[in-house]
Amino acid sequence: KFSEWKFKLFKVRSFVNSSPGEAQRPAKNTMEGKSSLEETPAIICNANIPEPEKPVLAQPAFTAHSKSLEKPADIGKAREKALHQANLRQLCRICGASFRADGQNRRYPVHGPVDSKTQGILRKKEKKVTSWPDLIAKVFKIDVKGDIDSIHPTQFCHNCWNIMYGRFSNSPYEVYFPRNATIEWHPHTPSCDICQAARRGLKRKSRQSNPSLSKKLKAMADRARRARLPKSQAQPRNSNKDLMKKLTNCSKMHLSTKCLAVDYPVDFVKAISCQICEHILTDPVETTCKHLFCRTCILRCLKVMGSYCPSCQYPCFSTDVESPVRSFVNILNSLVVRCPVKDCDKEVSLEKYNQHISSHKEPKETYVYMNKGGRPRQHLLSLSRRAQKHRLRELKLQVKAFADKEEGGDLKAVCLTLFLLVLRARNEHRQADELEAIMKGKGSGLQAAVCLAIRVNTFLSCSQYHKMYRTVKAITGRQIFQPLHALRNAEKTLLPGHHPFEWDPPLKNVSTRTDIGIIDGLSGLSASVDDYPVDTIAKRFRYDAALVSALMDMEEDILEGMIAKDLSDYLSGPFTVVVKESCDGMGDVSEKHGSGPAVPEKAVRFSFTIMNISIAQGQENVRIFEEAKPNSELCCKPLCLMLADESDHETLTAILSPLIAEREAMKSSELLLDMGGIQRTFKFIFRGTGYDEKLVREVEGLEASGSVYICTLCDATRLEASQNLVLHSITRSHAENLERYEVWRSNPYQESAEELRDRVKGVSAKPFIETVPSIDALHCDIGNAAEFYKLFQMEIGEVYKNPNASKEERKRWQATLDKHLRKKMNLKPIMRMNGNFARRLMTKETVEAVCELIHCEERHEALRELMDLYLKMKPVWRSTCPAKECPESLCQYSFNSQRFAELLSTKFRYRYEGKITNYFHKTLAHVPEI
């Protein structure tokens, strides 16, 4: 700090010296300024200092060039500034007094390190101040670090030094300095008070300009002198002492000196007692005049009686009191006192008095904090956790005693309620509401199950989540996320295997244990499958345990549904649960780095969704629960996950066969499960509808989608479907596919491969999962949109006129279409059709944009009608329940599909003669029946 100040002073003086027309400072004054930085207690100026009226000024040296530039007015201003600075150097920075008032002309620098004498006093008082600016700021509340020597004096007088000295010692020189009596220094002006006072020869202009300051200083000095008079000359203050005792009113709070167990000398008792209430000192504090009081007593008196010491009338403020030295506090704590409680004659040290008094069933109305150290008392929240425990130990014991007696030992509830009442009393209702929510278990923090879902869905490892948890807690000060151990406990309750249950009759070939969690999907395979190596990793739950876990998650929904349908809560069932099964590939799940096991880079996920729950009431079934969003991933419960290719029929069969065996066993049994305190019965209906066409062909043993047998629902070939677009019915079933597989395997009629394939209608592998006839709406949209995308290109190239176009021409049509769609519809070209592109492509606006590229009006009408029919049919297979959501579209579906097929076979015959896509066939022929 000293070097920073020296650099600042150098800059200011350089600026003053370099200004045009500025008079050079006298060498004597420059040396004074330099010597003021040295570590010296005072600068004794015995040399003859020039009078303020006639400062010694160095005459500026005029050259021919300077005479032509400088004017007499500039020279006059420079003289005035130099005269002003010379006058400033004769004044005190703090009080504004002239140094000539002191006979020895002692002065001290405003900046720089303190002198050795003051440093010794500060060390005794354990103060860390080492520089004059910090000391001036602490004593006089004046910041001198930003001073400019052309405005502010750079030294202060011996009187102000006496005030500093007395502030930190028992010096007879101590004088009180009023806090509102600081001098304001301003830049030099023509009407400058300092210069005018110097001209009139007045030595103390600054004090005359502030007469209240001199009066206050004189009055304070007289009051300090009277305080040092003998007691015989002091004025009686008995009436004031009685008044102060009434003000403090601490007889029930502080211990009387009569409780002392030892008969100490009178003078010693006075030394350890408060000079206001005359009780034993409690949380003692010391004033600047070295008198001791209880903290509460002195603060009350200062507030009511004024800012004076009650003992000597010396000026004293509440901010000036501080704890006495540690040795005195140790002596005070070691005093032995007698317990004031009736029938208790125990003698304890004053330090352990509070701990003892709290052990009584009816404690005395006191809880006195005893400051153990010599440092100022710190706020509770600024302490370390250990110090907080130490300070609140007695209070905790009292609250614990109350909680044990009144609230059955619920200490947490008592403390939270106290905190809540304090917040309500201070009208801090927002925090009070948050606390009340926490007390009810619905705090502002996230639940452990939600935090677990966040960790899993954001792919955070345990260490990454823990780092986030600590960061959020440190920044916000609130526990929004839950710690890892809470997540692990929540995971145990959420995973299958937590709730007990039983089956009636017991499941065939399934263990009766219910605490089964995650199972290795390959368990038992190595012993039974020897000839086929299974290079995969699979994890699964037991099917019945996963169903029980899903039902217990929905317990509130089930009970609320019963109440909403006016059913009794005590119905035991049987409840009928419809379960939708789903299975799909998960694409590329390869490791981007690291060297894991050699497994496929694809995964297959088998899951289920509880669609609805109903209960039989008389002749009808009352539905008490129905999934609002059955296609959402939030209600889709995972059952098995394997690293395998969905086209690998053998691996799928090996991993999923145990699940299918458990499902078959559950079809003929009832689940007994405690829900809402009552044992209830559940039956299950399984519907395998959550499969796309690729997986349906895989699990039902059909040939791939490029087969001649284009449909998974009927036996039609691609040629038959193109000739008869609409009139088909669902004929395939799981049982029939199993029979056809046996025929394919055994070939009982000794037929050729073509004849045998025609007999089994494309069944070439063993079906192992039963599926329900359904249509995959997403892939139906994608497949149909891809077909319309091709139609648009062919219409642009007028294939109906020229069917034999080259490959280059077809690429040109696609480029033209992509460019136009990007311009008109903001549809960017894609490599492969996806759901979002399909939804934006299949609109009337797209058809209008495409028609701009087609010149024939007749083709415009055909495209518009085709798209219009498609948009009327689309809601039927997109909706969950078409009969409720779009009954009109469902009624008109057969007519619309017939008209759509007619357009394909006439206007667009060039595309659909002898062929049809899989999804166009399902859309036109099977949707109403599904």
Side-chain angles (χ1 to χ4, degrees):
K1 290 181 180 177
F2 173 64
S3 61
E4 288 176 5
W5 170 82
K6 189 164 65 172
F7 179 68
K8 187 189 299 182
L9 182 63
F10 172 77
K11 281 176 63 179
V12 171
R13 285 181 171 168
S14 301
F15 173 74
V16 172
N17 292 340
S18 63
S19 59
E22 184 69 48
Q24 299 298 323
R25 288 208 179 98
K28 173 92 68 186
N29 290 348
T30 306
M31 291 303 295
E32 286 179 9
K34 181 178 179 182
S35 62
S36 68
L37 303 179
E38 296 175 357
E39 186 176 345
T40 172
I43 302 167
I44 309 299
C45 300
N46 295 326
N48 293 328
I49 299 176
E51 291 294 333
E53 301 86 2
K54 300 176 182 179
V56 180
L57 297 176
Q59 296 297 327
F62 291 95
T63 63
H65 182 65
S66 63
K67 287 180 180 179
S68 62
L69 292 177
E70 296 178 357
K71 299 178 181 179
D74 295 336
I75 298 172
K77 289 181 181 178
R79 287 176 180 275
E80 287 182 8
K81 286 183 180 179
L83 180 62
H84 177 76
Q85 290 184 4
N87 293 333
L88 278 178
R89 281 192 288 275
Q90 303 303 318
L91 300 178
C92 172
R93 167 67 178 88
I94 298 171
C95 65
S98 173
F99 293 135
R100 296 183 64 80
D102 181 11
Q104 297 181 345
N105 201 4
R106 290 169 291 182
R107 60 185 78 185
Y108 302 84
V110 169
H111 301 281
V114 299
D115 59 319
S116 56
K117 182 178 180 181
T118 312
Q119 187 70 50
I121 298 170
L122 294 173
R123 281 203 190 97
K124 286 182 182 179
K125 298 298 289 183
E126 298 180 356
K127 303 298 180 182
K128 296 182 179 180
V129 181
T130 58
S131 64
W132 288 119
D134 293 339
L135 196 59
I136 292 171
K138 188 172 183 65
V139 176
F140 298 105
K141 307 298 187 243
I142 299 174
D143 184 14
V144 299
K145 293 180 181 179
D147 283 8
I148 300 173
D149 62 348
S150 62
I151 299 176
H152 303 87
T154 56
Q155 294 168 332
F156 63 95
C157 64
H158 189 66
N159 286 336
C160 295
W161 183 87
N162 281 336
I163 294 174
M164 287 187 197
Y165 185 73
R167 175 71 172 80
F168 296 105
S169 67
N170 288 325
S171 171
Y173 297 109
E174 184 176 5
V175 180
Y176 172 69
F177 187 81
R179 302 200 171 199
N180 59 351
T182 57
I183 302 297
E184 291 187 9
W185 303 93
H186 302 284
H188 174 68
T189 59
S191 58
C192 177
D193 293 340
I194 296 171
C195 298
Q196 289 179 5
R199 292 192 190 98
R200 291 197 299 267
L202 298 177
K203 296 181 181 178
R204 301 183 68 181
K205 173 62 181 173
S206 57
R207 295 217 176 173
Q208 289 183 7
S209 62
N210 192 356
S212 60
L213 174 59
S214 57
K215 289 181 180 179
K216 286 181 181 178
L217 286 171
K218 187 176 180 181
M220 295 306 108
D222 293 342
R223 197 174 281 120
R225 181 181 55 77
R226 287 199 305 271
R228 291 190 287 272
L229 290 176
K231 290 186 178 180
S232 59
Q233 300 179 27
Q235 296 180 0
R237 294 190 300 273
N238 292 334
S239 58
N240 282 348
K241 184 167 284 190
D242 295 338
L243 178 60
M244 286 188 288
K245 281 186 179 180
K246 289 181 181 179
L247 281 175
T248 55
N249 191 23
C250 58
S251 58
K252 293 184 179 180
M253 295 169 56
H254 298 164
L255 279 174
S256 171
T257 53
K258 296 178 183 178
C259 294
L260 290 169
V262 181
D263 189 12
Y264 293 108
V266 176
D267 291 337
F268 179 77
V269 173
K270 286 184 178 180
I272 61 164
S273 58
C274 174
Q275 299 190 29
I276 296 176
C277 65
E278 297 180 348
H279 296 137
I280 299 175
L281 284 167
T282 302
D283 190 7
V285 292
E286 180 185 17
T287 60
T288 52
C289 52
K290 301 299 177 183
H291 293 112
L292 291 168
F293 305 93
C294 301
R295 185 183 291 272
T296 55
C297 297
I298 185 64
L299 292 180
R300 285 179 184 175
C301 287
L302 291 177
K303 187 174 182 181
V304 177
M305 303 293 292
S307 301
Y308 303 103
C309 173
S311 296
C312 64
Q313 298 299 305
Y314 188 79
C316 178
F317 290 86
S318 58
T319 55
D320 294 334
V321 298
E322 55 185 15
S323 299
V325 293
R326 189 186 296 272
S327 56
F328 176 80
V329 177
N330 291 338
I331 294 171
L332 189 66
N333 290 335
S334 64
L335 296 177
V336 180
V337 295
R338 224 179 278 108
C339 179
V341 178
K342 191 176 181 181
D343 301 330
C344 180
D345 298 329
K346 193 167 183 180
E347 295 180 355
V348 294
S349 64
L350 191 61
E351 185 177 17
K352 297 181 179 178
Y353 167 74
N354 288 323
Q355 183 179 351
H356 168 74
I357 204 71
S358 62
S359 64
H360 290 290
K361 292 184 179 179
E362 296 181 0
K364 188 184 178 208
E365 294 179 3
T366 175
Y367 177 73
V368 183
Y369 172 76
M370 186 64 62
N371 193 5
K372 305 293 191 301
R375 292 182 301 172
R377 186 182 183 188
Q378 292 178 286
H379 192 276
L380 185 65
L381 294 178
S382 65
L383 298 174
S384 64
R385 188 174 297 181
R386 183 178 179 183
Q388 288 173 338
K389 286 181 180 178
H390 182 69
R391 181 179 290 187
L392 298 179
R393 187 173 184 276
E394 286 79 10
L395 178 61
K396 183 181 176 183
L397 292 173
Q398 288 186 7
V399 176
K400 189 176 186 300
F402 174 81
D404 292 338
K405 182 179 179 182
E406 303 290 341
E407 300 297 329
D410 193 353
L411 182 62
K412 179 182 177 182
V414 174
C415 294
L416 288 176
T417 306
L418 281 172
F419 187 26
L420 184 67
L421 293 174
V422 171
L423 291 175
R424 296 286 187 204
R426 296 176 62 181
N427 289 327
E428 297 178 6
H429 295 295
R430 186 181 63 81
Q431 293 186 29
D433 293 339
E434 287 185 7
L435 178 61
E436 206 161 8
I438 293 172
M439 293 168 67
K440 293 178 181 177
K442 300 177 181 178
S444 57
L446 299 172
Q447 294 182 0
V450 177
C451 295
L452 177 64
I454 291 172
R455 186 180 85 76
V456 172
N457 289 332
T458 53
F459 304 103
L460 293 177
S461 65
C462 289
S463 59
Q464 288 171 326
Y465 174 83
H466 183 63
K467 191 181 292 183
M468 179 183 72
Y469 158 76
R470 285 188 310 172
T471 305
V472 172
K473 186 176 180 181
I475 292 174
T476 63
R478 298 161 63 190
Q479 187 167 305
I480 297 173
F481 292 100
Q482 302 304 317
L484 272 174
H485 67 83
L487 268 65
R488 293 193 182 102
N489 293 332
E491 192 174 24
K492 291 176 184 176
T493 61
L494 291 171
L495 285 178
H498 179 71
H499 304 283
F501 60 92
E502 59 179 304
W503 289 91
D504 185 26
L507 299 182
K508 187 179 180 182
N509 297 327
V510 179
S511 170
T512 57
R513 286 184 59 183
T514 61
D515 56 342
I516 306 298
I518 300 175
I519 307 172
D520 184 5
L522 300 175
S523 58
L525 286 183
S526 57
S528 59
V529 183
D530 298 327
D531 54 343
Y532 184 76
V534 182
D535 294 328
T536 183
I537 298 174
K539 300 292 179 184
R540 73 178 185 93
F541 300 114
R542 212 173 75 187
Y543 208 152
D544 57 342
L547 283 172
V548 167
S549 178
L551 286 173
M552 293 305 294
D553 286 346
M554 299 163 54
E555 180 179 4
E556 291 184 8
D557 295 329
I558 294 172
L559 298 179
E560 288 176 4
M562 294 173 66
I563 295 172
K565 297 293 183 180
D566 296 329
L567 301 175
S568 172
D569 292 353
Y570 301 101
L571 286 176
S572 59
F575 296 89
T576 303
V577 182
V578 178
V579 178
K580 179 184 82 170
E581 292 177 328
S582 308
C583 188
D584 196 11
M586 295 176 65
D588 181 15
V589 291
S590 63
E591 280 188 291
K592 304 304 177 190
H593 49 81
S595 55
V599 293
E601 295 181 349
K602 296 181 179 180
V604 177
R605 183 176 188 261
F606 188 94
S607 54
F608 68 91
T609 303
I610 295 180
M611 298 293 288
N612 58 70
I613 301 174
S614 57
I615 186 171
Q617 287 293 302
Q619 298 297 323
E620 62 176 353
N621 285 337
V622 179
R623 188 167 290 182
I624 59 174
F625 170 80
E626 185 167 8
E627 182 57 57
K629 296 181 178 179
N631 294 322
S632 169
E633 63 176 341
L634 299 178
C635 61
C636 188
K637 310 291 183 182
L639 193 58
C640 178
L641 189 68
M642 70 188 91
L643 292 171
D645 192 341
E646 58 183 321
S647 302
D648 188 349
H649 184 82
E650 288 76 12
T651 302
L652 284 185
T653 305
I655 302 296
L656 297 179
S657 288
L659 287 176
I660 305 308
E662 292 166 8
R663 183 186 71 171
E664 292 302 317
M666 286 187 286
K667 284 182 180 179
S668 56
S669 186
E670 292 184 349
L671 172 68
L672 304 179
L673 178 64
D674 285 339
M675 184 177 288
I678 301 171
Q679 191 177 63
R680 305 180 194 264
T681 308
F682 295 88
K683 293 180 178 180
F684 294 93
I685 298 174
F686 298 95
R687 298 178 60 81
T689 61
Y691 304 92
D692 58 11
E693 182 172 333
K694 183 178 181 182
L695 214 67
V696 168
R697 289 178 176 275
E698 190 65 42
V699 301
E700 288 285 9
L702 303 176
E703 294 175 350
S705 56
S707 169
V708 172
Y709 299 94
I710 67 167
C711 189
T712 59
L713 304 175
C714 67
D715 298 336
T717 62
R718 197 173 299 276
L719 180 61
E720 292 169 354
S722 66
Q723 292 170 349
N724 180 9
L725 291 172
V726 177
L727 301 175
H728 294 275
S729 60
I730 298 173
T731 56
R732 290 187 187 271
S733 66
H734 184 66
E736 186 183 33
N737 288 339
L738 281 171
E739 293 174 4
R740 286 176 173 175
Y741 171 72
E742 286 302 319
V743 171
W744 170 263
R745 188 181 63 82
S746 60
N747 192 9
Y749 305 108
Q750 304 298 319
E751 296 170 305
S752 65
E754 287 299 323
E755 292 171 338
L756 186 59
R757 185 175 175 223
D758 185 55
R759 180 180 290 277
V760 299
K761 304 299 182 185
V763 176
S764 60
K766 184 176 181 179
F768 64 95
I769 297 180
E770 181 181 359
T771 61
V772 176
S774 61
I775 185 169
D776 177 15
L778 173 64
H779 287 89
C780 185
D781 277 354
I782 292 173
N784 292 342
E787 196 59 26
F788 267 85
Y789 188 64
K790 275 286 184 186
L791 274 179
F792 292 156
Q793 296 176 34
M794 291 181 173
E795 287 298 315
I796 291 171
E798 298 181 345
V799 177
Y800 60 93
K801 292 181 182 178
N802 178 25
N804 300 318
S806 64
K807 192 174 181 180
E808 288 73 16
E809 288 178 308
R810 293 178 185 273
K811 284 185 178 180
R812 192 164 62 249
W813 303 339
Q814 183 179 358
T816 303
L817 178 63
D818 287 342
K819 184 177 181 181
H820 195 68
L821 290 179
R822 185 165 193 166
K823 178 182 178 183
K824 293 291 184 180
M825 303 293 297
N826 198 23
L827 269 174
K828 299 177 182 177
I830 54 173
M831 297 295 293
R832 185 180 179 188
M833 183 66 66
N834 58 57
N836 289 330
F837 190 91
R839 276 186 281 275
R840 295 186 62 190
L841 184 74
M842 303 304 288
T843 59
K844 292 182 179 180
E845 290 80 6
T846 305
V847 173
E848 294 300 328
V850 172
C851 286
E852 295 177 8
L853 301 175
I854 301 171
H855 305 296
C856 181
E857 190 64 34
E858 183 183 353
R859 308 307 295 180
H860 292 182
E861 294 302 322
L863 276 178
R864 289 190 183 108
E865 186 178 3
L866 196 69
M867 180 63 77
D868 184 56
L869 291 169
Y870 180 83
L871 294 177
K872 287 179 180 177
M873 292 189 293
K874 181 180 175 180
V876 176
W877 74 76
R878 288 297 303 180
S879 59
T880 304
C881 187
K884 292 181 181 177
E885 297 175 26
C886 51
E888 291 184 5
S889 298
L890 181 60
C891 292
Q892 297 171 6
Y893 195 92
S894 296
F895 173 79
N896 291 333
S897 61
Q898 186 71 42
R899 177 59 186 155
F900 193 91
E902 188 180 330
L903 279 173
L904 293 185
S905 57
T906 55
K907 300 289 185 182
F908 303 95
R909 185 182 179 85
Y910 62 87
R911 172 71 175 165
Y912 299 103
E913 187 173 8
K915 56 184 178 180
I916 186 96
T917 63
N918 299 15
Y919 282 107
F920 262 179
H921 165 70
K922 282 186 179 178
T923 301
L924 297 174
H926 295 303
V927 166
E929 193 174 355
I930 292 171

